[in-house]
Amino acid sequence: MELEALSVGQYSFIQNAYSFGFAVMAAATLFFWLMKSEIAPAYRLAITITGLVTAVAAYHYLQIMLSWGAAVDVTSGEVISTGKPFNQAYRYVDWLLTVPLLLIELILVMRLSRQETIKRTTVLGGAAALMIVLGYPGEVSSAGGLRFVFWVLSMIPFVYIVYQLVVGLKESISQQPESVKNLINISVYLVIGSWLFYPIVYLFPLVGLEGGAAITAVEVGYTVADIVAKAVFGVFIFMIAMRKSQEIEGTASTVSKPAAAAENETSKPS
Amino acid sequence: MELEALSVGQYSFIQNAYSFGFAVMAAATLFFWLMKSEIAPAYRLAITITGLVTAVAAYHYLQIMLSWGAAVDVTSGEVISTGKPFNQAYRYVDWLLTVPLLLIELILVMRLSRQETIKRTTVLGGAAALMIVLGYPGEVSSAGGLRFVFWVLSMIPFVYIVYQLVVGLKESISQQPESVKNLINISVYLVIGSWLFYPIVYLFPLVGLEGGAAITAVEVGYTVADIVAKAVFGVFIFMIAMRKSQEIEGTASTVSKPAAAAENETSKPS
């Protein structure tokens, strides 16, 4: 990455984006975990993991900020490279952990049968980890050909995950309570929509987009995509859990076995 | 260790592995401790210790990262040694504490009689500590002969522990509830499987594996083995505790603990 191609304005903008990313992820984590106790026990696992995703992301934004600070400096109005490498790979380390987890939190908040939960979290989590692992060799390689080969390889699990989310989950989503169906659909499209950014950006170096503006677009774009896929997505997971909790409580006041009744209602395997 | 034999790519890969190790261990710790309150009181000791193991590991990955940062530097595309030693021994300090504890968490989650719990935790914990203590002198010695002698000595408790886990625990495992038997067996083989990596790596210097690729394989391999033996293993312990908690709640009462009833209803394995 030609960091010296950056203007001071671009340098600051990227730094601000990282700091914003850290602040959003850390704030989201605190929010989810502070609100955990207000949610019905059945959904606390989903909310704990939702906060875990943003916590891990916050840690990596901190690392990226530190690496950026060590790699780039500004002296008398000029952006200079210190000679230390900027570790872009922290993003991959982050995704390896957070991308499987954020698919798992979606499955958990749906509260499917135990068997289906195990099957879907394993398949989706595994495919997500494979997608990230296959992306890494291309990202760190300087050869354009290798970059393209791993892009293609990585797109296979990517497309599979999208298919599983849109088609595979269709029936399970149709059995969710009316009040949260829309929220779940939005969450699914939020994931897919924000993810589309990554494979596009990955190809930038191949088409010669490498100047200061391209670096800025990539770094700020990654940050925005991360925020949507983890923090905003997490807020939707939280809203789903909250609404389902309120419905459990709603029936609680009339029957003695409230959660059970509500639960049976929603999880009947047709 | 000839750190200057590393390429910049290998250097970064190792650094990323350490950071990943730290992130996984810290995230696992938070997860276990946040979920502790959702688990039946009888299994909270096991879950607390499960989180303790990953917390201690997270601390040591932080120390390893700092030591790595102090020992190695990258200047204009070259990996250079700063002259400060890289403290590989932090791994031993870590294992001395975490390896006995992770065997103890397995015994605790099985919830054996008080007598058997005390006997098994003492024997397994003691053998594990002995195994680590005997490995250390060989690791820090530069003489190949000494390294081999302590490898053999350390393998004695190692084999004893494997025997105890596979044969000694057989009867106790057979008395566990059907719903968790499989999970316990997987946990046992997860420990044994991930542990096999350590004695093999220990012998690398003896057979002349010392270049950049060997260092990378060792450091990344140790990290993966640690993650499997502590965090992934811990998730299995958590699942065992969670499933047992749900069964306790299910039988405890049908009136006051509604969510458990729902759980039984929805998770019937057809």
Side-chain angles (χ1 to χ4, degrees), chain A residues 5-60:
Chain A
L6 292 166
S7 71
V8 174
Q10 288 168 336
Y11 162 83
S12 299
F13 192 51
I14 292 174
Q15 195 180 40
N16 292 335
Y18 293 153
S19 182
F20 182 68
F22 171 76
V24 171
M25 297 300 185
T29 305
L30 291 168
F31 173 74
F32 297 133
W33 288 347
L34 284 168
M35 288 301 291
K36 196 192 91 175
S37 56
E38 311 305 316
I39 290 214
Y43 301 101
R44 289 187 191 157
L45 179 59
I47 291 304
T48 303
I49 293 182
T50 304
L52 219 52
V53 167
T54 48
V56 171
Y59 163 73
H60 284 111

Short mmCIF file of all heavy atoms in Angstrom, two decimals, chain A residues 5-60:
data_model
loop_
_atom_site.label_atom_id
_atom_site.label_comp_id
_atom_site.label_asym_id
_atom_site.label_seq_id
_atom_site.Cartn_x
_atom_site.Cartn_y
_atom_site.Cartn_z
N ALA A 5 1.00 8.22 -0.85
CA ALA A 5 0.11 8.82 -1.84
C ALA A 5 -1.04 9.60 -1.19
O ALA A 5 -1.76 10.33 -1.85
CB ALA A 5 -0.45 7.73 -2.76
N LEU A 6 -1.19 9.42 0.12
CA LEU A 6 -2.29 10.08 0.83
C LEU A 6 -2.01 11.56 1.06
O LEU A 6 -0.88 11.95 1.37
CB LEU A 6 -2.51 9.42 2.20
CG LEU A 6 -3.03 7.99 2.22
CD1 LEU A 6 -2.85 7.39 3.62
CD2 LEU A 6 -4.49 7.93 1.80
N SER A 7 -3.07 12.36 0.94
CA SER A 7 -2.96 13.75 1.40
C SER A 7 -3.15 13.76 2.91
O SER A 7 -3.63 12.77 3.48
CB SER A 7 -4.03 14.61 0.72
OG SER A 7 -5.30 14.27 1.26
N VAL A 8 -2.79 14.87 3.55
CA VAL A 8 -2.99 14.95 5.00
C VAL A 8 -4.47 14.83 5.35
O VAL A 8 -4.85 14.20 6.33
CB VAL A 8 -2.38 16.25 5.57
CG1 VAL A 8 -2.71 16.40 7.05
CG2 VAL A 8 -0.88 16.27 5.35
N GLY A 9 -5.32 15.41 4.50
CA GLY A 9 -6.77 15.32 4.71
C GLY A 9 -7.25 13.87 4.67
O GLY A 9 -8.04 13.45 5.51
N GLN A 10 -6.75 13.13 3.68
CA GLN A 10 -7.14 11.72 3.57
C GLN A 10 -6.63 10.92 4.77
O GLN A 10 -7.34 10.08 5.32
CB GLN A 10 -6.60 11.12 2.26
CG GLN A 10 -7.33 11.64 1.03
CD GLN A 10 -6.60 11.29 -0.27
OE1 GLN A 10 -5.39 11.08 -0.28
NE2 GLN A 10 -7.35 11.27 -1.36
N TYR A 11 -5.39 11.19 5.15
CA TYR A 11 -4.79 10.53 6.32
C TYR A 11 -5.67 10.72 7.56
O TYR A 11 -5.99 9.78 8.28
CB TYR A 11 -3.38 11.08 6.54
CG TYR A 11 -2.81 10.83 7.90
CD1 TYR A 11 -2.20 9.62 8.24
CD2 TYR A 11 -2.90 11.82 8.90
CE1 TYR A 11 -1.68 9.40 9.50
CE2 TYR A 11 -2.38 11.61 10.16
CZ TYR A 11 -1.78 10.40 10.46
OH TYR A 11 -1.27 10.18 11.71
N SER A 12 -6.07 11.97 7.78
CA SER A 12 -6.90 12.27 8.96
C SER A 12 -8.26 11.60 8.85
O SER A 12 -8.81 11.11 9.84
CB SER A 12 -7.13 13.78 9.10
OG SER A 12 -5.93 14.44 9.27
N PHE A 13 -8.80 11.59 7.64
CA PHE A 13 -10.13 11.02 7.44
C PHE A 13 -10.11 9.53 7.78
O PHE A 13 -11.02 9.02 8.45
CB PHE A 13 -10.57 11.25 5.99
CG PHE A 13 -12.03 10.97 5.75
CD1 PHE A 13 -13.01 11.54 6.57
CD2 PHE A 13 -12.44 10.14 4.71
CE1 PHE A 13 -14.36 11.28 6.36
CE2 PHE A 13 -13.79 9.87 4.49
CZ PHE A 13 -14.74 10.44 5.31
N ILE A 14 -9.06 8.84 7.34
CA ILE A 14 -8.94 7.40 7.64
C ILE A 14 -8.80 7.18 9.15
O ILE A 14 -9.47 6.34 9.74
CB ILE A 14 -7.73 6.80 6.89
CG1 ILE A 14 -8.02 6.79 5.38
CG2 ILE A 14 -7.43 5.38 7.37
CD1 ILE A 14 -6.85 6.34 4.53
N GLN A 15 -7.94 8.00 9.76
CA GLN A 15 -7.74 7.88 11.21
C GLN A 15 -9.06 8.10 11.96
O GLN A 15 -9.38 7.36 12.90
CB GLN A 15 -6.71 8.93 11.64
CG GLN A 15 -6.13 8.69 13.01
CD GLN A 15 -5.13 9.76 13.38
OE1 GLN A 15 -5.32 10.94 13.09
NE2 GLN A 15 -4.04 9.36 14.00
N ASN A 16 -9.81 9.10 11.51
CA ASN A 16 -11.10 9.37 12.15
C ASN A 16 -12.07 8.21 11.95
O ASN A 16 -12.86 7.89 12.84
CB ASN A 16 -11.72 10.66 11.60
CG ASN A 16 -10.93 11.88 12.03
OD1 ASN A 16 -10.23 11.85 13.05
ND2 ASN A 16 -10.98 12.94 11.24
N ALA A 17 -12.02 7.59 10.77
CA ALA A 17 -12.91 6.46 10.50
C ALA A 17 -12.59 5.30 11.44
O ALA A 17 -13.50 4.68 12.00
CB ALA A 17 -12.79 6.01 9.05
N TYR A 18 -11.31 5.00 11.64
CA TYR A 18 -10.92 3.94 12.57
C TYR A 18 -11.43 4.24 13.97
O TYR A 18 -11.97 3.38 14.66
CB TYR A 18 -9.39 3.79 12.63
CG TYR A 18 -8.74 3.28 11.37
CD1 TYR A 18 -7.42 3.61 11.07
CD2 TYR A 18 -9.42 2.45 10.48
CE1 TYR A 18 -6.80 3.14 9.93
CE2 TYR A 18 -8.81 1.99 9.34
CZ TYR A 18 -7.50 2.33 9.06
OH TYR A 18 -6.88 1.88 7.94
N SER A 19 -11.21 5.48 14.39
CA SER A 19 -11.62 5.86 15.74
C SER A 19 -13.13 5.76 15.89
O SER A 19 -13.65 5.30 16.91
CB SER A 19 -11.14 7.29 16.05
OG SER A 19 -11.49 7.64 17.35
N PHE A 20 -13.84 6.16 14.85
CA PHE A 20 -15.30 6.04 14.84
C PHE A 20 -15.70 4.56 14.93
O PHE A 20 -16.59 4.19 15.70
CB PHE A 20 -15.86 6.67 13.57
CG PHE A 20 -17.37 6.64 13.47
CD1 PHE A 20 -18.15 7.39 14.34
CD2 PHE A 20 -18.01 5.87 12.51
CE1 PHE A 20 -19.53 7.37 14.25
CE2 PHE A 20 -19.39 5.84 12.41
CZ PHE A 20 -20.15 6.59 13.28
N GLY A 21 -15.01 3.73 14.15
CA GLY A 21 -15.28 2.29 14.18
C GLY A 21 -15.10 1.73 15.58
O GLY A 21 -15.96 1.01 16.09
N PHE A 22 -14.00 2.10 16.23
CA PHE A 22 -13.77 1.63 17.59
C PHE A 22 -14.88 2.08 18.53
O PHE A 22 -15.42 1.29 19.32
CB PHE A 22 -12.41 2.12 18.11
CG PHE A 22 -12.23 1.83 19.57
CD1 PHE A 22 -11.93 0.55 20.00
CD2 PHE A 22 -12.39 2.82 20.53
CE1 PHE A 22 -11.80 0.25 21.35
CE2 PHE A 22 -12.27 2.55 21.88
CZ PHE A 22 -11.96 1.26 22.30
N ALA A 23 -15.22 3.37 18.45
CA ALA A 23 -16.23 3.93 19.36
C ALA A 23 -17.58 3.23 19.17
O ALA A 23 -18.25 2.88 20.15
CB ALA A 23 -16.37 5.44 19.14
N VAL A 24 -17.98 3.01 17.93
CA VAL A 24 -19.27 2.37 17.66
C VAL A 24 -19.28 0.94 18.20
O VAL A 24 -20.22 0.52 18.87
CB VAL A 24 -19.59 2.37 16.15
CG1 VAL A 24 -20.82 1.51 15.86
CG2 VAL A 24 -19.81 3.78 15.64
N MET A 25 -18.20 0.20 17.92
CA MET A 25 -18.15 -1.21 18.34
C MET A 25 -18.15 -1.31 19.87
O MET A 25 -18.84 -2.16 20.44
CB MET A 25 -16.92 -1.90 17.77
CG MET A 25 -16.87 -1.97 16.25
SD MET A 25 -18.27 -2.86 15.53
CE MET A 25 -17.79 -2.85 13.79
N ALA A 26 -17.35 -0.47 20.52
CA ALA A 26 -17.27 -0.53 21.98
C ALA A 26 -18.61 -0.13 22.60
O ALA A 26 -19.09 -0.77 23.55
CB ALA A 26 -16.15 0.38 22.48
N ALA A 27 -19.23 0.92 22.06
CA ALA A 27 -20.52 1.37 22.58
C ALA A 27 -21.58 0.29 22.39
O ALA A 27 -22.38 0.01 23.29
CB ALA A 27 -20.94 2.67 21.90
N ALA A 28 -21.59 -0.33 21.21
CA ALA A 28 -22.56 -1.38 20.93
C ALA A 28 -22.39 -2.55 21.92
O ALA A 28 -23.37 -3.08 22.45
CB ALA A 28 -22.42 -1.87 19.50
N THR A 29 -21.14 -2.91 22.18
CA THR A 29 -20.87 -4.00 23.12
C THR A 29 -21.46 -3.70 24.49
O THR A 29 -22.17 -4.52 25.08
CB THR A 29 -19.34 -4.18 23.28
OG1 THR A 29 -18.77 -4.38 22.00
CG2 THR A 29 -19.02 -5.36 24.17
N LEU A 30 -21.14 -2.50 24.99
CA LEU A 30 -21.65 -2.12 26.31
C LEU A 30 -23.17 -2.14 26.31
O LEU A 30 -23.80 -2.63 27.26
CB LEU A 30 -21.13 -0.73 26.69
CG LEU A 30 -19.63 -0.68 26.97
CD1 LEU A 30 -19.12 0.76 27.04
CD2 LEU A 30 -19.30 -1.41 28.27
N PHE A 31 -23.77 -1.63 25.25
CA PHE A 31 -25.23 -1.61 25.16
C PHE A 31 -25.82 -3.01 25.25
O PHE A 31 -26.71 -3.28 26.06
CB PHE A 31 -25.67 -0.93 23.86
CG PHE A 31 -27.14 -1.01 23.63
CD1 PHE A 31 -28.03 -0.22 24.36
CD2 PHE A 31 -27.66 -1.89 22.68
CE1 PHE A 31 -29.40 -0.31 24.15
CE2 PHE A 31 -29.04 -1.99 22.48
CZ PHE A 31 -29.90 -1.20 23.21
N PHE A 32 -25.31 -3.94 24.42
CA PHE A 32 -25.89 -5.29 24.39
C PHE A 32 -25.75 -5.98 25.75
O PHE A 32 -26.69 -6.59 26.25
CB PHE A 32 -25.23 -6.14 23.31
CG PHE A 32 -25.44 -5.60 21.92
CD1 PHE A 32 -24.38 -5.50 21.03
CD2 PHE A 32 -26.71 -5.19 21.51
CE1 PHE A 32 -24.58 -4.99 19.75
CE2 PHE A 32 -26.91 -4.68 20.22
CZ PHE A 32 -25.83 -4.59 19.34
N TRP A 33 -24.56 -5.85 26.34
CA TRP A 33 -24.33 -6.56 27.59
C TRP A 33 -25.07 -5.93 28.77
O TRP A 33 -25.53 -6.63 29.68
CB TRP A 33 -22.83 -6.68 27.87
CG TRP A 33 -22.19 -7.67 26.93
CD1 TRP A 33 -22.85 -8.58 26.14
CD2 TRP A 33 -20.80 -7.88 26.69
NE1 TRP A 33 -21.94 -9.32 25.43
CE2 TRP A 33 -20.68 -8.93 25.74
CE3 TRP A 33 -19.62 -7.30 27.18
CZ2 TRP A 33 -19.45 -9.38 25.27
CZ3 TRP A 33 -18.41 -7.76 26.71
CH2 TRP A 33 -18.32 -8.79 25.77
N LEU A 34 -25.20 -4.60 28.74
CA LEU A 34 -25.96 -3.94 29.81
C LEU A 34 -27.44 -4.28 29.73
O LEU A 34 -28.14 -4.35 30.73
CB LEU A 34 -25.78 -2.42 29.74
CG LEU A 34 -24.44 -1.87 30.25
CD1 LEU A 34 -24.28 -0.42 29.85
CD2 LEU A 34 -24.33 -2.03 31.76
N MET A 35 -27.93 -4.51 28.52
CA MET A 35 -29.36 -4.79 28.34
C MET A 35 -29.68 -6.29 28.43
O MET A 35 -30.85 -6.67 28.42
CB MET A 35 -29.85 -4.25 26.99
CG MET A 35 -29.95 -2.74 26.92
SD MET A 35 -31.07 -2.03 28.16
CE MET A 35 -32.66 -2.59 27.54
N LYS A 36 -28.66 -7.10 28.52
CA LYS A 36 -28.87 -8.56 28.50
C LYS A 36 -29.88 -9.01 29.56
O LYS A 36 -30.75 -9.84 29.29
CB LYS A 36 -27.53 -9.27 28.75
CG LYS A 36 -27.55 -10.75 28.38
CD LYS A 36 -26.32 -11.48 28.90
CE LYS A 36 -26.59 -12.05 30.27
NZ LYS A 36 -25.51 -12.86 30.83
N SER A 37 -29.76 -8.43 30.75
CA SER A 37 -30.62 -8.88 31.86
C SER A 37 -32.09 -8.50 31.64
O SER A 37 -32.97 -9.04 32.31
CB SER A 37 -30.11 -8.29 33.17
OG SER A 37 -30.05 -6.88 33.06
N GLU A 38 -32.36 -7.58 30.71
CA GLU A 38 -33.74 -7.16 30.45
C GLU A 38 -34.42 -8.06 29.43
O GLU A 38 -35.57 -7.85 29.07
CB GLU A 38 -33.78 -5.72 29.92
CG GLU A 38 -32.98 -4.71 30.74
CD GLU A 38 -33.40 -4.72 32.19
OE1 GLU A 38 -34.61 -4.74 32.45
OE2 GLU A 38 -32.50 -4.71 33.06
N ILE A 39 -33.66 -9.03 28.94
CA ILE A 39 -34.17 -9.90 27.88
C ILE A 39 -34.51 -11.27 28.47
O ILE A 39 -33.87 -11.69 29.44
CB ILE A 39 -33.07 -9.99 26.79
CG1 ILE A 39 -33.00 -8.63 26.11
CG2 ILE A 39 -33.26 -11.15 25.85
CD1 ILE A 39 -32.68 -8.65 24.68
N ALA A 40 -35.50 -11.93 27.92
CA ALA A 40 -35.89 -13.25 28.44
C ALA A 40 -34.71 -14.21 28.35
O ALA A 40 -33.93 -14.15 27.39
CB ALA A 40 -37.07 -13.79 27.64
N PRO A 41 -34.56 -15.10 29.38
CA PRO A 41 -33.43 -16.02 29.42
C PRO A 41 -33.18 -16.75 28.10
O PRO A 41 -32.04 -16.99 27.72
CB PRO A 41 -33.81 -17.00 30.53
CG PRO A 41 -34.68 -16.20 31.44
CD PRO A 41 -35.42 -15.24 30.56
N ALA A 42 -34.25 -17.08 27.38
CA ALA A 42 -34.12 -17.85 26.14
C ALA A 42 -33.29 -17.12 25.09
O ALA A 42 -32.76 -17.75 24.18
CB ALA A 42 -35.51 -18.16 25.58
N TYR A 43 -33.20 -15.80 25.18
CA TYR A 43 -32.50 -15.03 24.14
C TYR A 43 -31.19 -14.42 24.61
O TYR A 43 -30.55 -13.67 23.90
CB TYR A 43 -33.43 -13.94 23.58
CG TYR A 43 -34.67 -14.58 23.00
CD1 TYR A 43 -35.86 -14.60 23.71
CD2 TYR A 43 -34.60 -15.24 21.78
CE1 TYR A 43 -36.97 -15.25 23.20
CE2 TYR A 43 -35.70 -15.89 21.27
CZ TYR A 43 -36.88 -15.89 21.99
OH TYR A 43 -37.95 -16.56 21.49
N ARG A 44 -30.79 -14.76 25.84
CA ARG A 44 -29.57 -14.15 26.39
C ARG A 44 -28.31 -14.67 25.72
O ARG A 44 -27.32 -13.96 25.63
CB ARG A 44 -29.52 -14.36 27.90
CG ARG A 44 -30.56 -13.50 28.58
CD ARG A 44 -30.45 -13.52 30.09
NE ARG A 44 -31.64 -12.87 30.65
CZ ARG A 44 -32.10 -13.09 31.88
NH1 ARG A 44 -31.49 -13.95 32.66
NH2 ARG A 44 -33.18 -12.46 32.30
N LEU A 45 -28.36 -15.91 25.27
CA LEU A 45 -27.19 -16.45 24.56
C LEU A 45 -26.96 -15.65 23.29
O LEU A 45 -25.82 -15.24 22.98
CB LEU A 45 -27.41 -17.94 24.25
CG LEU A 45 -26.29 -18.66 23.50
CD1 LEU A 45 -24.99 -18.61 24.26
CD2 LEU A 45 -26.68 -20.12 23.23
N ALA A 46 -28.05 -15.40 22.54
CA ALA A 46 -27.93 -14.62 21.30
C ALA A 46 -27.37 -13.23 21.57
O ALA A 46 -26.50 -12.74 20.84
CB ALA A 46 -29.28 -14.53 20.60
N ILE A 47 -27.87 -12.58 22.63
CA ILE A 47 -27.42 -11.21 22.92
C ILE A 47 -25.98 -11.19 23.43
O ILE A 47 -25.22 -10.27 23.13
CB ILE A 47 -28.39 -10.54 23.94
CG1 ILE A 47 -29.74 -10.30 23.28
CG2 ILE A 47 -27.83 -9.22 24.47
CD1 ILE A 47 -29.67 -9.48 21.99
N THR A 48 -25.60 -12.20 24.19
CA THR A 48 -24.21 -12.27 24.66
C THR A 48 -23.26 -12.37 23.47
O THR A 48 -22.24 -11.67 23.42
CB THR A 48 -24.02 -13.50 25.58
OG1 THR A 48 -24.94 -13.40 26.65
CG2 THR A 48 -22.60 -13.55 26.14
N ILE A 49 -23.63 -13.20 22.50
CA ILE A 49 -22.78 -13.36 21.31
C ILE A 49 -22.80 -12.11 20.44
O ILE A 49 -21.79 -11.71 19.87
CB ILE A 49 -23.20 -14.62 20.52
CG1 ILE A 49 -22.88 -15.86 21.38
CG2 ILE A 49 -22.47 -14.70 19.18
CD1 ILE A 49 -23.20 -17.17 20.74
N THR A 50 -23.95 -11.45 20.38
CA THR A 50 -24.04 -10.19 19.64
C THR A 50 -23.02 -9.18 20.19
O THR A 50 -22.32 -8.51 19.44
CB THR A 50 -25.47 -9.61 19.75
OG1 THR A 50 -26.39 -10.60 19.27
CG2 THR A 50 -25.63 -8.36 18.92
N GLY A 51 -22.92 -9.11 21.53
CA GLY A 51 -21.95 -8.22 22.15
C GLY A 51 -20.52 -8.70 21.97
O GLY A 51 -19.58 -7.91 21.89
N LEU A 52 -20.36 -10.00 21.87
CA LEU A 52 -19.02 -10.57 21.67
C LEU A 52 -18.48 -10.16 20.30
O LEU A 52 -17.28 -9.84 20.15
CB LEU A 52 -19.13 -12.10 21.74
CG LEU A 52 -18.02 -12.87 22.43
CD1 LEU A 52 -17.74 -12.32 23.81
CD2 LEU A 52 -18.41 -14.33 22.53
N VAL A 53 -19.34 -10.17 19.30
CA VAL A 53 -18.94 -9.80 17.94
C VAL A 53 -18.42 -8.36 17.92
O VAL A 53 -17.34 -8.08 17.39
CB VAL A 53 -20.12 -9.98 16.96
CG1 VAL A 53 -19.82 -9.30 15.63
CG2 VAL A 53 -20.42 -11.46 16.76
N THR A 54 -19.17 -7.46 18.54
CA THR A 54 -18.74 -6.06 18.52
C THR A 54 -17.53 -5.85 19.44
O THR A 54 -16.68 -5.01 19.16
CB THR A 54 -19.90 -5.12 18.92
OG1 THR A 54 -20.52 -5.62 20.11
CG2 THR A 54 -20.95 -5.05 17.82
N ALA A 55 -17.41 -6.66 20.50
CA ALA A 55 -16.24 -6.54 21.39
C ALA A 55 -14.97 -6.94 20.65
O ALA A 55 -13.95 -6.24 20.72
CB ALA A 55 -16.42 -7.42 22.63
N VAL A 56 -15.03 -8.05 19.92
CA VAL A 56 -13.87 -8.49 19.16
C VAL A 56 -13.53 -7.45 18.08
O VAL A 56 -12.36 -7.13 17.86
CB VAL A 56 -14.14 -9.88 18.52
CG1 VAL A 56 -13.04 -10.25 17.54
CG2 VAL A 56 -14.25 -10.95 19.61
N ALA A 57 -14.56 -6.90 17.45
CA ALA A 57 -14.33 -5.87 16.43
C ALA A 57 -13.70 -4.63 17.05
O ALA A 57 -12.79 -4.03 16.47
CB ALA A 57 -15.64 -5.52 15.73
N ALA A 58 -14.15 -4.23 18.24
CA ALA A 58 -13.58 -3.06 18.91
C ALA A 58 -12.09 -3.29 19.17
O ALA A 58 -11.26 -2.40 18.91
CB ALA A 58 -14.31 -2.80 20.23
N TYR A 59 -11.75 -4.47 19.65
CA TYR A 59 -10.33 -4.80 19.90
C TYR A 59 -9.53 -4.65 18.62
O TYR A 59 -8.43 -4.07 18.62
CB TYR A 59 -10.21 -6.23 20.43
CG TYR A 59 -8.81 -6.79 20.33
CD1 TYR A 59 -7.80 -6.34 21.18
CD2 TYR A 59 -8.47 -7.73 19.36
CE1 TYR A 59 -6.50 -6.83 21.08
CE2 TYR A 59 -7.19 -8.23 19.25
CZ TYR A 59 -6.20 -7.77 20.10
OH TYR A 59 -4.93 -8.25 19.99
N HIS A 60 -10.06 -5.15 17.50
CA HIS A 60 -9.29 -5.08 16.26
C HIS A 60 -9.20 -3.67 15.70
O HIS A 60 -8.21 -3.31 15.08
CB HIS A 60 -9.83 -6.08 15.24
CG HIS A 60 -9.43 -7.48 15.56
ND1 HIS A 60 -10.32 -8.44 15.99
CD2 HIS A 60 -8.21 -8.08 15.59
CE1 HIS A 60 -9.66 -9.56 16.24
NE2 HIS A 60 -8.39 -9.37 16.00
#
